[in-house]
Amino acid sequence: MLKEFKDFIAKGNVMDMAVGIIIGAAFTAIVKSLVSDLINPIIGLFMGGVDFVNKFIILGEGEFATLAEAQEAGASVFAYGSFIMAIINFLIIAFVVFMLVRYVNRVKEATAKQEEAVEEAPAGPTELDILTEIRDSLKK
């Protein structure tokens, strides 16, 4: 059983998937920082200083200045600002993944075209053909 597991882990697909998950996690952190540190301030500037992260509705008693305070107090909150930020994060990630897949597909197509061009190129005579031709010429 241990040998089977070792063979399974050693397969390329499992290793590729593991690398993809690790890179995806790091990429998510970068996108989260991009949205919270760069895009949110720009959106806030155009929307009159609105901070989406602290947009929430309390579903009960109490008043809180920030979402973090409300969550610490255990209040039920409808955090629509966090949801908006999650949508923005998703759209950015989806766009970057789309651009990456588009680039990879273009590279694959270019490689396939090059392979077709190599296959379609007229093949010159082989060494055997040349030697045979020389032999036949010498016989005459």
Side-chain angles (χ1 to χ4, degrees):
M1 186 162 126
L2 187 60
K3 184 180 181 326
E4 267 184 274
F5 181 71
K6 185 177 175 183
D7 292 340
F8 172 74
I9 292 298
K11 285 184 180 177
N13 293 341
V14 174
M15 297 305 278
D16 292 344
M17 185 178 70
V19 169
I21 290 171
I22 292 168
I23 290 174
F27 183 70
T28 300
I30 291 170
V31 170
K32 193 172 191 178
S33 175
L34 172 74
V35 171
S36 64
D37 298 333
L38 301 176
I39 294 176
N40 277 353
I42 292 170
I43 291 173
L45 180 68
F46 288 113
M47 307 246 343
V50 174
D51 180 17
F52 284 113
V53 175
N54 282 316
K55 292 295 181 186
F56 62 97
I57 298 171
I58 305 238
L59 302 174
E61 299 295 320
E63 287 193 28
F64 303 96
T66 65
L67 178 61
E69 288 177 12
Q71 288 173 334
E72 275 183 33
S76 294
V77 293
F78 185 73
Y80 64 91
S82 295
F83 181 71
I84 291 171
M85 294 317 306
I87 290 172
I88 292 171
N89 285 341
F90 170 77
L91 291 174
I92 291 171
I93 291 171
F95 179 73
V96 170
V97 168
F98 166 74
M99 296 301 287
L100 182 66
V101 168
R102 186 174 165 208
Y103 174 74
V104 168
N105 286 340
R106 285 187 180 175
V107 169
K108 283 182 181 179
E109 288 174 5
T111 303
K113 286 180 182 178
Q114 287 178 349
E115 288 175 1
E116 287 176 12
V118 168
E119 291 174 5
E120 292 175 5
T126 64
E127 185 178 346
L128 183 62
D129 293 337
I130 293 172
L131 289 173
T132 305
E133 191 176 314
I134 291 171
R135 182 196 67 199
D136 294 342
S137 295
L138 289 174
K139 281 185 181 178
K140 293 180 182 178

